[in-house]
Amino acid sequence: MTKLPSKIETWQMVALGKMKRATIDVPQLKTGEVLVEIAGCGICYNDHAVFYGEIPTRAVMPRTLGHEISGTIVDGDAKLVGQEVIIPPAMPCHNCPICKAGRENRCLSAKIPGYSMDIYGGNSSHIVVPSADLCYIKERKGIPLSHLAVVADAVASTYQAAKRADVQPGDMVIIIGATGGAGVYATQVCAAMGAKEVIGIARNEERLQRALKFGATHVISSQNKTAKEVLAEFYSYCMSKKLSPYYGWKIFEWSGTAAGQEIALELLPYIGKLVVAGCGTHKNEFSLSRLMTLEADIIGSWACRPKYYPEILNMVLSGTIQIEPFIKTMPMSQIKKAYEDAHRGGLTQRIVLIPDFN
Ligand SMILES: [Zn+2]
Ligand SMILES: [Zn+2]
């Protein structure tokens, strides 16, 4: 039996770019809530972008960042104690018009660790969360529980985006930012959903070659190329494969960069779909009336509906989606260096922090 903690050990963001070790109270468990001992917490773009002030935030400080969490239930409903779980980053209210419309991942009252749960977040020893939307792990097939943290956000977000685009067997898909923290899963998810073509676009040639082993059927490097040059390469690939570049492609923009978004808009074809899933802050120039001519859709995708998690976890446990090559663990005591590394960019693996407070 795990010893119940009297306090939560944590790393708090105390100011922009400043993190401090702290000990905080365990909140009183309300009905339907459980206390989770955190096994791993992944570092997402949003975390370091908020930490370094790239994304403005109105949330309180000090508070603990981190919303990509896996762990073990140690207190709450006795039937649940001991169960291993993945915590969806957006835990909806299930009661508002947005939730009732089946769009609960975007519920405005959702509990989001690190953002809308007061001072509580994933860069901690423990966290209190509602039990209803947790993804329960029956077996792990040898994958460490800490590694499954990336399923919470990086993997699940790409699944949600593919659902938003209604990816079907035989579809033609383009993933922009295919080598990034979520992009590496976006290629795998679309391939797993039966997409016939999954074209990966990114800058780094070496990592693009890796994408060919993880779902991409073809890759295009955008390094030192204009959007029009990327479009020309896409056209010549389509010609070589006797595919039409002119209609129907589903494009996922995962880079969140100006260059990536420009390419996405350039590639958007007749009756095509563009799913904007990457996070960034700049503005784009685009003739909206082109959407009319193309009869194309541009849609956003954010987080993931909790009900999708069991299926996503199955895809990971069956090896359809591989996570191990894309993860690097670091002790949580090295959180400052980990955030610096993640912020600097160029990492080939996503960092998962392992609590080491004892
Ligand atoms: Zn995230
Ligand atoms: Zn709601």
Side-chain angles (χ1 to χ4, degrees):
M1 189 72 199
T2 324
K3 196 170 152 285
L4 287 179
S6 54
K7 295 280 181 186
I8 291 175
E9 300 299 331
T10 190
W11 284 95
Q12 284 184 327
M13 174 182 177
V14 289
L16 284 189
K18 282 214 168 66
M19 198 113 44
K20 244 192 184 155
R21 226 351 213 102
T23 302
I24 54 180
D25 286 335
V26 181
Q28 194 73 43
L29 289 189
K30 297 194 202 88
T31 313
E33 288 184 337
V34 290
L35 179 67
V36 174
E37 181 179 46
I38 295 173
C41 182
I43 303 179
C44 171
Y45 167 81
N46 278 280
D47 294 321
H48 59 81
V50 164
F51 183 60
Y52 290 103
E54 257 168 42
I55 300 178
T57 171
R58 280 171 298 163
V60 293
M61 271 192 272
R63 66 175 160 135
T64 301
L65 294 171
H67 56 274
E68 193 175 77
I69 312 166
S70 59
T72 307
I73 295 175
V74 292
D75 198 10
D77 185 340
K79 289 196 294 295
L80 300 177
V81 170
Q83 296 218 35
E84 295 180 338
V85 293
I86 294 165
I87 302 178
M91 291 167 277
C93 79
H94 293 293
N95 217 6
C96 71
I98 293 180
C99 284
K100 288 190 172 135
R103 304 285 295 274
E104 65 275 14
N105 52 303
R106 197 51 280 203
C107 169
L108 301 182
S109 308
K111 289 204 156 98
I112 306 172
Y115 295 91
S116 66
M117 290 177 60
D118 192 18
I119 62 170
Y120 299 98
N123 295 329
S124 309
S125 61
H126 297 79
I127 190 163
V128 171
V129 287
S131 64
D133 285 322
L134 299 177
C135 172
Y136 293 87
I137 306 166
K138 301 277 178 295
E139 53 172 333
R140 285 193 266 112
K141 304 264 172 79
I143 300 176
L145 178 58
S146 56
H147 294 192
L148 289 171
V150 300
V151 175
D153 193 16
V155 181
S157 299
T158 64
Y159 186 88
Q160 172 74 27
K163 284 287 198 188
R164 288 281 283 147
D166 191 27
V167 171
Q168 296 292 329
D171 270 356
M172 319 281 244
V173 163
I174 297 168
I175 313 284
I176 298 167
T179 61
V184 295
Y185 303 118
T187 51
Q188 298 188 74
V189 163
C190 289
M193 287 181 169
K196 184 169 86 177
E197 284 288 339
V198 180
I199 299 184
I201 298 178
R203 281 172 304 190
N204 185 299
E205 189 61 54
E206 198 180 317
R207 278 190 265 161
L208 279 170
Q209 291 309 312
R210 181 178 71 172
L212 289 168
K213 297 194 195 96
F214 296 96
T217 52
H218 180 66
V219 291
I220 298 173
S221 169
S222 57
Q223 183 79 49
N224 300 324
K225 287 177 198 157
T226 63
K228 288 226 165 6
E229 285 169 332
V230 173
L231 180 71
E233 269 193 47
F234 167 67
Y235 275 13
S236 67
Y237 173 72
C238 289
M239 296 310 161
S240 76
K241 293 281 299 259
K242 298 196 165 42
L243 303 167
S244 172
Y246 302 118
Y247 68 89
W249 289 80
K250 293 176 179 176
I251 303 168
F252 295 86
E253 208 306 296
W254 275 106
S255 77
T257 64
Q261 293 178 350
E262 199 189 327
I263 292 167
L265 293 166
E266 192 69 43
L267 293 178
L268 188 62
Y270 288 97
I271 67 163
K273 276 200 172 91
L274 165 56
V275 180
V276 180
C279 189
T281 50
H282 60 84
K283 299 198 167 106
N284 308 82
E285 196 173 304
F286 178 71
S287 167
L288 274 180
S289 291
R290 269 190 72 200
L291 289 184
M292 177 274 290
T293 320
L294 299 170
E295 201 167 272
D297 300 325
I298 299 182
I299 49 185
S301 182
W302 197 85
C304 183
R305 301 175 78 182
K307 64 183 267 189
Y308 291 153
Y309 279 77
E311 194 176 330
I312 298 165
L313 179 61
N314 275 342
M315 289 165 107
V316 170
L317 295 178
S318 66
T320 311
I321 299 170
Q322 292 194 49
I323 60 171
E324 296 286 18
F326 307 105
I327 292 171
K328 169 194 164 129
T329 60
M330 282 174 81
M332 205 170 269
S333 52
Q334 289 179 29
I335 190 166
K336 291 178 192 171
K337 181 180 185 313
Y339 267 60
E340 275 168 30
D341 289 354
H343 189 61
R344 201 178 308 116
L347 293 178
T348 50
Q349 288 155 318
R350 193 175 184 88
I351 301 171
V352 175
L353 296 169
I354 315 280
D356 59 341
F357 293 98
N358 297 320

